[in-house]
Structures are given as C-alpha cells and as structure tokens.
Amino acid sequence: MELLEATLEIPGWCSFRLPHGVNVHFTFPLPPITTIKGLLAAALGLPADKTGLLPRLDYAVGIVEEGEKVETLSKILKKDRGNRDTIVIKEKMLQPVFRLWLGGKADDLDRIAEALNKPFFPLYLGESDDAVQIREINRLSAKQVLTTEVDNCPVFRNDLTTVSPVELIHLPWDFVPGKRSTWRGVTYKIHWIAKKVQFTRPVEAWQGHSGGVLF
C-alpha cells in the first residue's frame, strides 16, 4: 500500500467540539476524520465545504502526546429575544501532538504531500485560530505485517478484542451530502482510543516509519 505519514503538532491549544454540548463544550481526544478532510482541503486550495472533491483515501489518526486539558471561559452573544451575553466553558488541549496516515494512489499522495509542505490556505486544526505545524511528512510503500499493537486509533471491529486500557468513542467520519452541493449531516464511526492499541491476537496492519497502522 502507498502511504503518507505526517506529524501534526499544536504549538498552542486546540479543541474538537463534541456536538451535544451547549454551555459546556467538551473536546474529542483527537481530530476526527471530518477535521482531517477539512485540513487537506485547505492545503489543496479546495473551495469551502467541498471535501467531496478530495481523492479516495484511507484515513487513520493516532495520539503521540495527549497534551494537558484545560478549561476556558468565553463570552458569546446568545441569539434569543433579549440578545443576552452568556458564558461558555470550552475544554482545550495544550500542545498535543497527533500523527496522520493516509493510504491511496501514489499520485494523489504525492500531491497531498506537496500541499502539506506548501499549503494553499493557512492550516489550522480545530477552531479557526488553532494553528497546526506539520512535521515529518513521509511518503512510502508500506508492507503488511502481523502485529498485536498499532499506533493509530482504529475503527472498532467486532472480530478483534483489545487489551485495556482503551476507550470506545464515536468520532465524526464523513459529511452526508444534501441538495445543491450542500451537506445535511455527519456520519460517525466507533474508534478505539489509546496512544497504542493492543490486541489479544495478531492482526494484519501496515508498517510505516513510525509504527503499525490499522485502517
């Protein structure tokens, strides 16, 4: 398989909001695939909300450094009859580091690697002022290996059993297209969440520069 690997470093802080929060905005522990698609679209210079123009890829994200979780207070204007100010608590992660793997055609991955090195738009991860620095962009032809440990947070599979500690979290995966080039929702997939996910038996994974990855 043709792979692209990249390290995503957050020099400040970032958050990936859980959608059910109202006055308290909790964060997912890593960037969902919908966020990654937005990052790639910005790097390639695609129009806003046109992630459907991205090439067909396999996606995987892992946690290198979790970062420290903090809470911030933000004053926002609440759009109701009184147009009142209200306070929102936002959970943030200080200086986390993530790793991204993409699988696909060599030409597509070469183009994305070039765009990540010289992005068309400024890149951020999370909110519009959460800057990201992309390091260690590697292109390689990966070999399949049998392993009991992978370095990404893979999609849950019923045929595999993990070794604790590991969490199960629903993460946004893709946008549901609507009418006239709009989108009407988001699909989710369950992921195992840990810095390294271990299994009770060997599983076929792809060997990259920074470890094994299970798409």
Side-chain angles (χ1 to χ4, degrees), residues 16-211:
F16 313 105
R17 180 187 171 187
L18 275 71
H20 53 261
V22 181
N23 288 338
V24 179
H25 296 176
F26 293 106
T27 179
F28 291 112
L30 76 170
I33 299 304
T34 48
T35 300
I36 296 299
K37 290 180 178 180
L39 176 80
L40 298 181
L44 291 166
L46 299 181
D49 297 330
K50 298 297 182 182
T51 58
L53 299 177
L54 290 170
R56 294 181 62 87
L57 302 169
D58 293 318
Y59 296 86
V61 182
I63 300 170
V64 180
E65 298 292 340
E66 295 176 343
E68 179 186 357
K69 284 189 177 180
V70 298
E71 292 182 351
T72 66
L73 296 177
S74 301
K75 182 185 287 188
I76 65 171
L77 181 63
K78 191 172 184 179
K79 290 293 185 179
D80 58 11
R81 293 180 180 178
N83 284 336
R84 299 169 297 168
D85 289 338
T86 188
I87 298 296
V88 172
I89 299 173
K90 294 184 178 182
E91 189 178 51
K92 302 273 192 176
M93 292 179 286
L94 289 175
Q95 297 182 324
V97 181
F98 308 106
R99 186 158 288 126
L100 169 66
W101 292 267
L102 302 175
K105 296 179 180 179
D107 290 346
D108 292 332
L109 297 179
D110 289 341
R111 184 164 65 97
I112 291 172
E114 183 179 355
L116 292 176
N117 273 308
K118 296 180 179 179
F120 188 92
F121 294 115
L123 300 182
Y124 60 91
L125 204 65
E127 298 184 354
S128 58
D129 55 353
D130 295 342
V132 59
Q133 295 176 336
I134 302 182
R135 314 284 194 194
E136 301 171 356
I137 301 171
N138 294 308
R139 274 281 293 111
L140 67 150
S141 296
K143 295 181 179 179
Q144 206 163 31
V145 295
L146 280 176
T147 180
T148 57
E149 180 180 276
V150 295
D151 290 77
N152 67 302
C153 298
V155 175
F156 173 80
R157 284 171 42 179
N158 286 318
D159 62 319
L160 295 177
T161 303
T162 57
V163 179
S164 295
V166 65
E167 292 183 89
L168 284 174
I169 296 181
H170 283 81
L171 290 176
W173 183 268
D174 203 1
F175 300 98
V176 180
K179 297 180 179 178
R180 298 179 181 178
S181 300
T182 61
W183 59 279
R184 58 183 177 87
V186 174
T187 59
Y188 285 75
K189 290 186 179 182
I190 302 173
H191 288 68
W192 285 297
I193 305 296
K195 291 181 72 172
K196 291 183 181 294
V197 177
Q198 295 180 319
F199 301 102
T200 57
R201 64 173 177 85
V203 61
E204 290 185 343
W206 299 96
Q207 183 63 48
H209 280 303
S210 53

